[in-house]
Amino acid sequence: GPRCLAVPPSVMDSIVLQERLVERLLSPRPQAQRSHPARLKDHEKQYVGFATLPNQVHRKSVKKGFDFTLMVAGESGLGKSTLVNSLFLTDLYKDRKLLNAEERINQTVEIVKHTVDIEEKGVKLKLTIVDTPGFGDAVNNTECWKPITDYIDQQFEQYFRDESGLNRKNIQDNRVHCCLYFISPFGHGLRPVDVEFMKALHEKVNIVPLIAKADCLIPSEIRKLKERIREEIDKFGIKVYQFPECDSDEDEEFKQQDRELKESAPFAVIGSNTVVEAKGQRVRGRLYPWGIVEVENQAHCDFVKLRNMLIRTHMHDLKDVTCDVHYENYRAQCIQQMTSKLTQDNRIESPIPILPLPTPDTETEKLIKMKDEEVRPISAQASLVLEQE
Ligand code: GDP
């Protein structure tokens, strides 16, 4: 009867609501609330649109900003801090405390990190300079590179931990992307400590060797010293940073620059913290009684080449090589050590820890026994039949 159809109002409400919900779900979606980032023009409709990917990547990386970590190493007094200041036009070393002779002799290698945020045309760069002061000052220089190699390894280790940890998205990358190694202009090439130092580091970091204080030498002396250093780098099997091959589709001007860059290595550099007047222009330079040496004058030194290489042309490659070669080496070693330790601990051959197999409980064992018993007479009969045939 009609009484059966009487449904309490609350239930009725919920049925109506459900029906409406189903209707909503089935009906076509209303126009998306967010407006399209850009209306497609007619001629663009024939493309899928992935040609905009570089722009998207560009926008994203500009927003996020860039980071770069540069290490400077070499004997103290060779002009490392002056050069860094000249390179990035910042005074990174305002608070530096200069040590007296006695302190310098006893000084162990102490690593200092300076970070500056620089911005140019809206692009942010977080620059970290890792200074290794005092290297080569101490009377005993054996293993003076140890704290430096340890530092590089520690950064790799930290990255490795972060990468395998829970917060992979916000990893702070402190890996050293490049090490400027300062060579004295007063020697006849590499000193034993230079060779040992670079060999200790070359598998861990991109080494860019530099001839320091190039204003102390005349052009022919610089040429000779460069040649000598190149030969010695070869002879001792030192692996310095190799500039990548220039793409064949680059324009001629770029190719020419690339050739000059490669021919100029190791760069002979001059640094200065003072601005002087040369031919009516204010430039970074060193004022001598006989004239002015200009830091940014390509006829005077390779400073501009070095700066262009570091900032304009090869920063990305330096980071790639750090990540793909040096860090990858570290990571492989790490994993190898971890697995060999595991196999030692477990005394098993496999690098993968073998889980203990579950032992069957007594109840299961009983059942298996029973089944065995049941099967036995049948199999005995079967073999009998086989024998008869
Ligand atoms: P660091 O100990 O390697 O960081 O060396 P500094 O940058 O403190 O420089 C040591 C001294 O060398 C200072 O007196 C600088 O003015 C001077 N100096 C720095 N760069 C040059 C250079 O390119 N040529 C010359 N002649 N002197 C320099």
Side-chain angles (χ1 to χ4, degrees):
R3 268 177 65 202
C4 302
L5 287 173
V7 180
S10 61
V11 176
M12 196 62 215
D13 278 354
S14 80
I15 289 172
V16 170
L17 265 177
Q18 271 182 25
E19 273 172 0
R20 276 193 202 145
L21 195 69
V22 170
E23 212 171 288
R24 276 252 301 275
L25 287 171
L26 291 177
S27 68
R29 269 159 140 331
Q31 204 58 53
Q33 292 295 300
R34 285 166 60 197
S35 63
H36 283 288
R39 285 247 158 261
L40 289 182
K41 294 190 188 83
D42 276 344
H43 71 272
E44 281 172 343
K45 283 187 183 147
Q46 51 191 308
Y47 297 110
V48 181
F50 58 80
T52 66
L53 273 172
N55 286 341
Q56 294 175 28
V57 173
H58 173 86
R59 278 181 63 92
K60 198 170 168 190
S61 43
V62 166
K63 237 189 201 165
K64 216 173 116 201
F66 296 84
D67 52 45
F68 189 70
T69 302
L70 182 70
M71 178 183 255
V72 287
E75 195 182 325
S76 79
L78 281 182
K80 296 188 294 294
S81 25
T82 311
L83 189 86
V84 165
N85 285 340
S86 312
L87 275 174
F88 300 101
L89 306 175
T90 46
D91 198 358
L92 279 167
Y93 297 90
K94 328 188 248 305
D95 318 318
R96 184 160 81 150
K97 168 175 152 260
L98 283 173
L99 302 174
N100 64 32
E102 196 187 341
E103 281 173 312
R104 282 165 67 140
I105 286 167
N106 298 325
Q107 188 184 27
T108 47
V109 183
E110 181 200 341
I111 290 172
V112 189
K113 219 169 96 171
H114 310 262
T115 305
V116 276
D117 290 299
I118 40 187
E119 193 172 330
E120 198 179 272
K121 293 185 190 163
V123 179
K124 288 186 217 97
L125 174 69
K126 181 169 157 272
L127 175 74
T128 306
I129 305 289
V130 182
D131 199 357
T132 57
F135 160 58
D137 273 346
V139 175
N140 183 3
N141 278 321
T142 44
E143 299 229 326
C144 56
W145 54 87
K146 189 81 172 52
I148 298 165
T149 51
D150 284 351
Y151 179 87
I152 296 172
D153 280 342
Q154 277 159 20
Q155 310 314 308
F156 281 154
E157 187 187 328
Q158 185 61 48
Y159 194 86
F160 185 62
R161 275 174 203 277
D162 289 351
E163 204 181 38
S164 11
L166 291 173
N167 196 15
R168 282 169 46 123
K169 268 192 191 151
N170 302 311
I171 299 181
Q172 186 153 23
D173 186 1
N174 288 317
R175 294 172 296 182
V176 182
H177 300 121
C178 178
C179 172
L180 299 180
Y181 186 75
F182 287 64
I183 298 164
S184 164
F186 307 116
H188 295 285
L190 298 178
R191 294 166 308 166
V193 69
D194 296 326
V195 176
E196 286 185 66
F197 185 95
M198 287 196 269
K199 286 191 90 157
L201 263 80
H202 67 181
E203 306 268 16
K204 297 175 189 291
V205 67
N206 294 311
I207 300 178
V208 174
L210 301 177
I211 297 174
K213 299 189 176 178
D215 53 327
C216 301
L217 302 174
I218 56 170
S220 64
E221 288 172 325
I222 289 182
R223 267 200 303 279
K224 253 208 225 134
L225 186 57
K226 279 188 178 185
E227 218 166 277
R228 184 81 182 248
I229 292 172
R230 279 199 291 259
E231 278 167 20
E232 288 181 331
I233 282 176
D234 244 26
K235 188 173 100 189
F236 293 111
I238 300 167
K239 285 176 252 162
V240 296
Y241 172 62
Q242 290 297 313
F243 300 116
E245 288 287 316
C246 184
D247 286 334
S248 54
D249 61 347
E250 291 286 2
D251 60 50
E252 213 28 66
E253 195 191 332
F254 188 89
K255 279 183 185 163
Q256 178 61 25
Q257 268 180 18
D258 194 66
R259 264 195 298 276
E260 280 173 22
L261 182 82
K262 285 169 183 163
E263 281 162 12
S264 312
F267 304 127
V269 293
I270 299 168
S272 166
N273 281 331
T274 47
V275 174
V276 290
E277 228 175 277
K279 292 169 234 136
Q281 280 196 327
R282 292 172 60 74
V283 292
R284 232 167 227 259
R286 307 187 70 83
L287 182 63
Y288 287 101
W290 40 262
I292 289 166
V293 197
E294 295 164 46
V295 169
E296 302 192 27
N297 187 330
Q298 301 238 35
H300 293 187
C301 73
D302 303 322
F303 174 87
V304 172
K305 283 205 184 76
L306 172 70
R307 190 178 59 192
N308 282 347
M309 187 282 287
L310 279 179
I311 301 171
R312 295 196 178 172
T313 52
H314 290 70
M315 185 180 275
H316 204 73
D317 188 64
L318 285 161
K319 292 181 77 169
D320 277 351
V321 177
T322 303
C323 199
D324 301 343
V325 180
H326 300 303
Y327 175 62
E328 217 37 49
N329 272 344
Y330 173 85
R331 205 171 156 274
Q333 272 171 25
C334 233
I335 291 173
Q336 208 168 27
Q337 275 170 17
M338 276 158 67
T339 46
S340 70
K341 194 171 178 303
L342 258 179
T343 46
Q344 258 173 27
D345 290 353
N346 293 343
R347 285 191 201 85
I348 46 171
E349 298 293 304
S350 157
I352 304 157
I354 293 170
L355 294 172
L357 287 169
T359 43
D361 54 46
T362 42
E363 204 50 44
T364 325
E365 268 177 310
K366 244 195 245 165
L367 268 169
I368 294 171
K369 234 186 183 148
M370 269 165 63
K371 281 282 163 210
D372 274 354
E373 240 104 85
E374 275 174 35
V375 170
R376 198 167 295 142
I378 303 170
S379 57
Q381 272 173 15
S383 58
L384 211 70
V385 172
L386 276 174
E387 268 169 32
Q388 280 171 357
E389 275 177 358

